[in-house]
Amino acid sequence: MPLNKLAQLFTAVLLSLMLGACSTVSGWFSSDDDDTKEPAELVDFTPEIKINSVWSTGVGKGQGKGYNFLAPVMSGDRIFAAGVDGTVAAVDRNSGSKIWKVDLDMPLSGGVGYGANRLVLGSSNGDVILLDANDGSLLWRVPVSGEVLSPPQTNGNVVVVLSYDGKLRGLDAEDGSEIWVYDSDLPILTVRGTSTPLIDGRTVLAGFANGKVVAFDISNGTLRWESRVTIPQGRSEIDRIVDVDGELLLINNVVYAVSYQGHLSAMDMPSGRKIWQQEASSSVGIDQGFGNIYVSEDNGSVVAFYRNGQGIRWEQPRLENRRLSAPKTVKGFVAVGDFDGQIHFMSQVDGRFVGRKKVGGKGVRAPMLSDGDTLYVFSNSGTLTALRVQSQE
């Protein structure tokens, strides 16, 4: 395990003992000043693409001082984004102009989910909020048992939310009343974060801090299958942290998930049967393209695994300790953001650097969005930026 991670984990464990009962062991602080390893210096390369900033606009205070992952979401010509201060905005993805903006007057920590023309968000106080996507009007707000750190999801009938205490709930989309609840086996220590539920027809999937991905009937919460991405190993509780955080991927009836200190796994969607697994460690999510599954490793490497399970296609190790965002593919390339606000673009063929663009000094942590040749980046400071990728003249 990297020394910088150990420093963060031991410091957080000490604080948890002092404060009573908190089990968060990473991302406790807004900055990682206690890291024992310096981030890798950026290497020079010959750019192969042009990256132009098309527009940028502010949305509240972004991720705030806590270790949040407030992710934007796109539907049609609109991008919906939220800041930790309670600001929620709909932005025209072509021009960057705000279509509407509301202030929920509450600290947000999970969002934004979208479905059936509704927006779903979660607060650090343990609230789930449903908004009308047309104008941002509040439809309902209900409390759950824990902080919401990932975007809740909805199919229009049921809202699914995973809270930090390990409980996955199905709420009635009409009024927020609880339909069902699943209580996972929460380990003593976990990474700060939760997976984003994934809805596919009548099935909802979620990853948990115990290293499992579980599938449920979305209408009543009946368990359909569970599959272990990683078995906790080691003598200490720190060694046994195996959270499945970030976004899951579903491609051609195969579910892909990655765990911290564990594996990248491919599972059969109907049965949960494990198809293959490879060693990997990430707590920020994955993406796919060019027959690859891309992983931003916790040590700062970006790794392309063959989607068929045949192993590693390439690895880019030159971003060590730069605290990378989840990868995102755009126009034949794969991009990651880092703690300094740099967006790094790599070839999907061999991982070589092809471009770089800085969008802000406070870093990029939230998952990015892409459409065609445009990448949408929501910085930690709250700036939403559209970057257009073009070939060199």
Side-chain angles (χ1 to χ4, degrees), residues 138-309:
L138 178 66
L139 299 177
W140 50 254
R141 168 185 173 183
V142 298
V144 292
S145 60
E147 185 178 13
V148 179
L149 295 177
S150 60
Q153 302 295 311
T154 182
N155 63 359
N157 297 313
V158 181
V159 171
V160 183
V161 56
L162 178 58
S163 49
Y164 191 38
D165 58 2
K167 292 182 172 63
L168 183 75
R169 286 179 171 81
L171 308 177
D172 192 310
E174 286 297 318
D175 58 11
S177 59
E178 185 174 285
I179 303 172
W180 54 265
V181 61
Y182 170 81
D183 192 354
S184 67
D185 181 18
L186 195 66
I188 295 174
L189 299 179
T190 71
V191 175
R192 178 174 167 79
T194 57
S195 77
T196 300
L198 189 158
I199 297 174
D200 180 57
R202 289 180 54 85
T203 302
V204 59
L205 301 101
F208 293 92
N210 56 16
K212 294 181 180 179
V213 171
V214 187
F216 307 87
D217 186 307
I218 193 172
S219 62
N220 56 27
T222 300
L223 191 149
R224 292 188 167 174
W225 54 259
E226 62 178 41
S227 181
R228 187 173 287 281
V229 177
T230 299
I231 298 174
Q233 296 182 347
R235 300 182 64 179
S236 73
E237 293 298 335
I238 291 175
D239 292 335
R240 295 172 63 81
I241 298 173
V242 291
D243 296 49
V244 178
D245 290 340
E247 296 183 358
L248 309 175
L249 285 180
L250 177 60
I251 310 168
N252 297 332
N253 244 12
V254 178
V255 182
Y256 300 88
V258 67
S259 73
Y260 182 72
Q261 296 187 135
H263 298 93
L264 170 67
S265 292
M267 295 153 280
D268 177 65
M269 173 62 177
S271 66
R273 176 182 59 86
K274 189 175 293 183
I275 300 171
W276 58 260
Q277 69 177 27
Q278 295 285 338
E279 288 189 5
S281 177
S282 179
S283 56
V284 296
I286 55 183
D287 200 14
Q288 64 89 25
F290 208 69
N292 303 325
I293 301 295
Y294 301 106
V295 177
S296 293
E297 295 262 6
D298 284 295
N299 64 6
S301 291
V302 180
V303 184
F305 293 88
Y306 285 102
R307 208 174 79 190
N308 60 12

